[in-house]
Amino acid sequence: AAKKLFLTSDSASCALDNAGDMKCWGGNIYGALGNPSLGTGNDAIYFEPVVVGNANGEVIDGTAHVFNEGDVEDMAGGWLHHCALEREQSGGTKVWCWGYNGFGQVGDGTSSSRNFPVLVKHLNGSALTGVSRLALGWDTTCAAMSAGGVMCWGRNEEAWGFSCGDGTSGHKYNPVWVKMSADGSDLQGAVRELYVGQFSFCALFDGADRVYVASLGDCRAVLATRAGAVNLTTDCRADRPDEVARVVAARGFVANRR
């Protein structure tokens, strides 16, 4: 019996069962189901739930990958990748990801797709810890940090809105801090809600009634308030002076026409 269902990817669904096992089913292209014993590809579809990870910690690519599924606290899915937040007995957290990794959205420092869970790591090789919540976009992964702020990794280019939000271009294969504004300061504060869309980002912060939106991608920016909805831009870029003025009036800023 399923104990908890999770918001998962475009091609697969996942659940945590009463025995503490994480199980997924559906399409396994690029290893989205997270079980290395399964076939992958467009035609690899599994109609029965399969266990995610390696139950005995067998060695793959020279490393023993162990995923303690009974301690899964949160899970999310992007287009063709998944990530899970593990709560350790010490109280700390680790993040495991698997599936399509062409833009670094798995967060292990590579662009190699993974058909088994791997630890998300910082650029220096240490595991990402201190995460309270996960949110996945199409090819981008973000984490709300327990101490405040947000880190993201994965697809990050002008054509799709610099979705990692660190103020630089280039895909991110390890977590980077989301910046608050054009001055380069980190986005700060305790995150109450975090959502990542196809190429967009929204975060609600505690204590100050603040909502931050960024990386508008290939869609029109709309600001919704109690007074109604206001179109900030007419397409995916703030090219015109009147568009920039509306964004600034809404207490935002424009960088790289976004």
Side-chain angles (χ1 to χ4, degrees):
K3 179 179 180 180
K4 185 176 183 180
L5 288 172
F6 293 98
L7 178 64
T8 49
S9 69
D10 281 11
S11 63
S13 300
C14 299
L16 188 68
D17 70 13
N18 286 328
D21 289 327
M22 175 68 69
K23 294 182 178 180
C24 295
W25 59 96
N28 197 40
I29 184 172
Y30 298 108
L33 299 185
N35 188 309
S37 67
L38 304 178
T40 61
N42 291 328
D43 297 327
I45 300 174
Y46 293 84
F47 298 96
E48 297 289 336
V50 296
V51 175
V52 175
N54 307 294
N56 299 315
E58 57 262 41
V59 174
I60 302 175
D61 291 345
T63 304
H65 297 273
V66 180
F67 183 36
N68 299 321
E69 299 160 321
D71 298 321
V72 172
E73 188 169 284
D74 189 21
M75 182 182 177
W79 176 39
L80 293 170
H81 76 294
H82 294 103
C83 293
L85 177 63
E86 176 192 355
R87 176 69 62 179
E88 299 179 295
Q89 292 183 352
S90 63
T93 59
K94 290 182 178 179
V95 178
W96 300 81
C97 296
W98 61 94
Y100 182 58
N101 193 34
F103 301 98
Q105 58 266 48
V106 168
D108 66 342
T110 76
S111 59
S112 298
S113 296
R114 303 296 185 181
N115 62 354
F116 51 87
V118 294
L119 276 174
V120 175
K121 297 180 179 180
H122 292 288
L123 187 60
N124 64 8
S126 63
L128 175 66
T129 60
V131 173
S132 62
R133 184 187 299 268
L134 294 173
L136 276 62
W138 194 352
D139 291 318
T140 307
T141 307
C142 292
M145 307 304 292
S146 300
V150 178
M151 301 193 81
C152 294
W153 56 97
R155 194 167 189 169
N156 189 59
E157 57 188 317
E158 181 178 5
W160 304 112
F162 299 113
S163 300
C164 289
D166 72 332
T168 70
S169 60
H171 308 312
K172 306 303 177 186
Y173 303 97
N174 302 95
V176 294
W177 286 103
V178 174
K179 303 298 181 182
M180 180 175 176
S181 62
D183 65 8
S185 59
D186 291 340
L187 193 65
Q188 298 178 351
V191 178
R192 188 190 313 169
E193 301 284 348
L194 177 65
Y195 299 97
V196 180
Q198 184 177 10
F199 299 112
S200 60
F201 166 101
C202 293
L204 173 64
F205 285 78
D206 277 333
D209 195 25
R210 297 174 296 157
V211 177
Y212 287 94
V213 296
S215 302
L216 300 176
D218 60 348
C219 58
R220 181 177 63 188
V222 178
L223 176 66
T225 68
R226 292 179 180 176
V230 177
N231 291 332
L232 300 181
T233 63
T234 58
D235 58 18
C236 62
R237 293 181 175 87
D239 290 317
R240 303 196 320 245
D242 61 313
E243 294 175 326
V244 175
R246 284 197 293 271
V247 172
V248 172
R251 297 169 62 185
F253 73 96
V254 176
N256 297 311
R257 298 183 296 163
R258 298 185 184 273

